[in-house]
Amino acid sequence: MSFLVIGECVADIVRGADGTERIHPGGSPANVALGLGRLGRDVTLLTQLADDPTGRLIADHLKGAGVRVESGGAPVRTPSAVVALDARGQATYTFDIAWTLETGGLPRAERPCHVHIGSIAAVTAPGAAAVLTEVERLRDGATVSYDPNVRPALMGERAEAVVRVERCVALSDLVKASDEDLAWLYPGEAPETVAARWLALGPALVLVTRGAAGSLARTGREAAVAQAPAVAVVDTVGAGDSFMSAVLDTLAGRGREALSSLGAEDLAGLLARAGAAAAVTVSRAGAQPPDRAELDAAGERFALRSGRAS
């Protein structure tokens, strides 16, 4: 099964609470592609990278995990984000990024079975239009997933951002968001309420991550929750993307009807495995998702509790 991820690469300049600084390859869609590659999946990333030192660093990082990198036009410089970590390892971001993706219906020898979009690339003009064009072109033969990965500094006015996000939700079969994403998009609304609204727009499955509080999953008929594994946090960079990669790996090959038919036990198991992937990532610096052996070991090591949601 082949995956196509469309979205940005970003050089994460991570500044610790102690003032130290490290550069890590990042960008939410790129991290998802990296995670799929490390899990042994056939994955292509359609992105933009400049021919500069950080661009080459990111390209080599992705290719080292088996990800094919396909260009949709080169920016003047590779996008970057200054990532400030507080004493708990929680991250805040300051971006220097432009997104001008061009596709023109790029030819491919094989159409993907699944398309993943998200973050800055799915809602930032002018490149977002090309992302949605590709999704609309491919979705008849592929399932689609979306992670808004909200960056308030780049989202503009909230009401307009909600319209853009909900358009992506409506094009998708599977949506994953964090509780922080939902709190910014829909202030004061419970995650369960937003999940129900999004399901009504078209997706078969909505997942919500809640950091140390765990995660939840809902279809039109079933729901489940899972606790987060207890783990020492180095930083939270890329945790949600590792969660997403593990979700896509676990559900690989399931069509829209199969996603909507997932039972409560299936959902609980999905959350547990994805939570284990996120736990591995937060236990080490930067967006470093697990490979398959690490994920299998983590699933056995962590004592995860999950079950049907009320």
Side-chain angles (χ1 to χ4, degrees), residues 14-20 22 82-93 180 233-237:
V14 182
R15 293 177 179 169
D18 60 358
T20 58
R22 306 182 306 275
V82 175
V83 185
L85 301 175
D86 63 18
R88 298 174 300 155
Q90 297 293 317
T92 57
Y93 297 81
E180 293 180 348
V233 176
V234 174
D235 69 49
T236 61
V237 178

Side-chain angles (χ1 to χ4, degrees), residues 61-164:
H61 180 64
L62 291 163
K63 292 173 183 177
V67 179
R68 287 184 298 276
V69 179
E70 192 169 316
S71 176
V76 174
R77 61 185 178 277
T78 296
S80 64
V82 175
V83 185
L85 301 175
D86 63 18
R88 298 174 300 155
Q90 297 293 317
T92 57
Y93 297 81
T94 303
F95 292 95
D96 177 10
I97 186 169
W99 180 245
T100 58
L101 186 76
E102 299 174 359
T103 64
L106 287 169
R108 296 184 181 87
E110 180 181 339
R111 291 171 67 92
C113 297
H114 185 86
V115 180
H116 175 73
I117 63 171
S119 194
I120 298 163
V123 295
T124 301
V131 174
L132 298 185
T133 295
E134 282 294 284
V135 171
E136 290 167 347
R137 184 177 74 87
L138 295 169
R139 70 191 299 267
D140 284 346
T143 46
V144 178
S145 56
Y146 171 56
D147 178 0
N149 193 45
V150 169
R151 301 302 184 211
L154 301 175
M155 297 294 285
E157 196 274 327
R158 180 181 282 108
E160 294 179 359
V162 169
V163 171
R164 296 195 300 272

Side-chain angles (χ1 to χ4, degrees), residues 143 173-174 203-205 218-222 250-264 266-267 270:
T143 46
D173 304 292
L174 160 64
L205 173 62
R218 289 186 179 268
T219 68
R221 297 183 293 182
E222 296 285 356
T250 304
L251 298 177
R254 302 201 189 203
R256 296 181 179 95
E257 187 173 336
L259 292 176
S260 63
S261 300
L262 290 169
D266 297 322
L267 296 176
L270 174 67

